[in-house]
Amino acid sequence: MCGIVGCVGPRDAVPFLLRGLERLEYRGYDSAGLAVLTPAGLQIRRTVGRVGRLAENLAQSPLEGSPGISHTRWATHGPVTGANAHPHRDATGRLALVHNGVIENHDELRQRLLAEGHVFSSDTDTEVLAHWIGKSLDSATGWDDYLAAVRRALAEVRGSYAIGVLDARLEGSLLAARAGSPLVIGRGGQESFIASDEQALSGMAREILDLEDFQIARVASGSLEIFDRAGSPRSSPASRSLSLTEVDEGLGGHPHHMHKEIHEQPRCLERALEGRLDEDGATVVFAGLHRTNRQLREIQRLVLTGCGSTLHAAMFGEYVIENLARMPVECDCASEFRYRNAPLDTQTAVIVMSQSGETADAVAALRESRRKGALVLGICNNPRSTLARESDGGIEIRAGSEIGVAATKTFTAEALALAMLGIQWGRLRGLPAAEATQLLKELQSLPELVRRTLDLEEQIARVAQRFAQAPNFLFLGRQASYPVALEGALKLKEITYRFASAHPSAELKHGVIALVNPDTPAIFLAAQDAVYEKNLGNIAEVKARCGPVVAFGSDGDTRLEALCDATVLLPATGGLTAPLLQSIALQLFAYHMAVALGREVDRPRNLAKSVTVE
Ligand code: G6P
């Protein structure tokens, strides 16, 4: 995993590299480093921690030169140390390499290199790759030799990689290659770039080209050569202009990005609804699906897949779509789905979900589904992502860029997209117009309901502070609130480092109840819905065993207040939107607990915003 940026041009590459790396921190922030070709030769600088530390280091002791390559790391092989930070050199020290991906046969290659006397200074698979490529270059004279040697070396490498190579022998150019990990090439006025995604190049490159798997590129400031795995030159791929407006990375007066993003939800959800609710037809219209109603009706079964918070949104979708559209919906995490030999027929659509559109397992699930001939629809936040580009059609969730590592607004926007899809598919499969009209009204009121939920922040913060010292938490909910419980527990684990475990409320009796004690708060999601009384029964079971209960219920529920140790009453609403309000309340709960515990809210330990390795 990790992000890479390279720059080549007449000006100093270092400021470009740092700017790009900062935008790639969502791919990991364990360490950062860069290598540049200076008049004194190839120089490397590496620091543990965030890109800001590398920038400070360079401000104190500057490096200047071009071309340059750089990297922000999420540790896979070897702990978070300076020695394991990229770039890595080959045995001669002439070549430096940055890498995103996992070299699966690194052990075997390492043994072969050790037998030949190579000495390694890190635990990484990347250093093995640098030595492996470097070794094949021993006798390379001239570019043709160089290219042939790199091709030979890469032919024996198994796994995934996007690499940038810096070497004086490349005569003022950079070498880039990819297999399974994303890499784009960017061209600006005087500079050319490589990067893990185009957002890293926003404001620096004017056009973007995609490198394909198994291609090798030689990138210079005024030229670009691309070769396939046989070494044959390929014409440059079509370029697209980089129209991205600069990402707004300011905090806008909020203490953290996560706080800002939680509060952006009313507007995000409004945007997600805009132009999609067809009141006359009592349905929802998604232009991006690129399917007629007739084609959609032919779909008899849906598979929803994704990872992390997105998987929880998908699970919410399973409840909602099955209920509204009366069609079988399965939900599976993308890492399992891609290797599970799931039967897919022509009447099954696979909906691959990923806010970033770059999660390795989600992209792999998409490709596996395509190989099996299924219709693949994508739901994501980035219309320029791999997921968006490779799916047959899809839904953009319109949440805007999310910088806090813990997903907040993208979770609710994904859930809303599935709620809308449930109505659309429902209308194709017998959902009465009058019922659908009611549901559309409920969705229209969502932004306002979310504003009222956010008004409860102070109360939620007090509850979070009160229970902040508890070591373990249980999260319990039923029906569509069960995935919300899972998501609430995940938020808490991610940013407070407290242990939390989520279950359907009734599962309590099947083992989890053994964990109930006065130090383990149980967080219940108990709206006044069809399973309300059942939830009250489960709450009573916890109370009977002296477990503290915090309940998120519906406005005016005095019964719940009387039963629980702390109660937060959310705006009363229908079953389609109540889980979303609960989710937002749990985001605030986790956020305020993390703040009370002094955690690094936006960049929690060990995590990355987008997981680009499997
Ligand atoms: C990582 C992030 C999670 C996110 C998951 C899926 O684990 O830390 O917050 O939910 O990836 O990301 P995606 O971009 O595919 O939705």
Side-chain angles (χ1 to χ4, degrees), residues 337-506:
F337 176 74
R338 62 180 289 193
Y339 290 119
R340 189 164 66 85
N341 192 14
L344 297 177
D345 55 32
T346 51
Q347 293 182 318
T348 302
V350 179
I351 303 190
V352 181
M353 299 176 54
S354 166
Q355 79 84 15
S356 61
E358 299 295 349
T359 297
D361 283 319
V363 170
L366 173 152
R367 291 178 181 157
E368 177 62 9
S369 305
R370 287 190 76 96
R371 273 191 287 272
K372 288 180 167 166
L375 172 71
V376 183
L377 303 174
I379 296 187
C380 84
N381 197 27
N382 179 0
R384 289 165 292 275
S385 62
T386 309
L387 173 60
R389 285 200 308 274
E390 295 191 15
S391 38
D392 295 311
I395 302 174
E396 185 191 341
I397 61 170
R398 303 177 181 168
S401 106
E402 190 177 66
I403 293 170
V405 164
T408 51
K409 59 179 181 171
T410 55
F411 170 81
T412 45
E414 286 168 343
L416 176 59
L418 291 170
M420 287 193 276
L421 202 64
I423 297 175
Q424 182 197 31
W425 241 304
R427 289 289 287 133
L428 298 172
R429 302 170 59 89
L431 181 69
E435 244 177 80
T437 298
Q438 271 310 109
L439 294 171
L440 293 184
K441 282 206 182 103
E442 188 183 330
L443 291 187
Q444 271 160 338
S445 68
L446 180 62
E448 182 50 29
L449 294 169
V450 171
R451 283 189 189 96
R452 285 170 46 203
T453 303
L454 294 172
D455 287 344
L456 300 170
E457 178 167 7
E458 270 183 36
Q459 187 198 348
I460 296 171
R462 280 197 299 276
V463 179
Q465 286 147 10
R466 179 172 154 201
F467 291 96
Q469 298 312 322
N472 305 305
F473 291 80
L474 297 173
F475 281 72
L476 299 145
R478 286 169 180 262
Q479 301 291 292
S481 293
Y482 165 51
V484 172
L486 285 166
E487 175 59 9
L490 182 64
K491 284 293 85 90
L492 198 87
K493 285 182 276 201
E494 284 177 317
I495 61 169
T496 70
Y497 316 149
R498 293 293 196 231
F499 183 77
S501 168
H503 306 271
S505 308

Side-chain angles (χ1 to χ4, degrees), residues 287-309:
L289 288 181
H290 305 310
R291 288 286 169 293
T292 62
N293 284 346
R294 185 185 292 259
Q295 287 169 323
L296 291 178
R297 262 188 70 91
E298 283 164 12
I299 307 291
Q300 297 299 327
R301 170 178 166 248
L302 284 183
V303 175
L304 303 177
T305 187
C307 306
S309 295

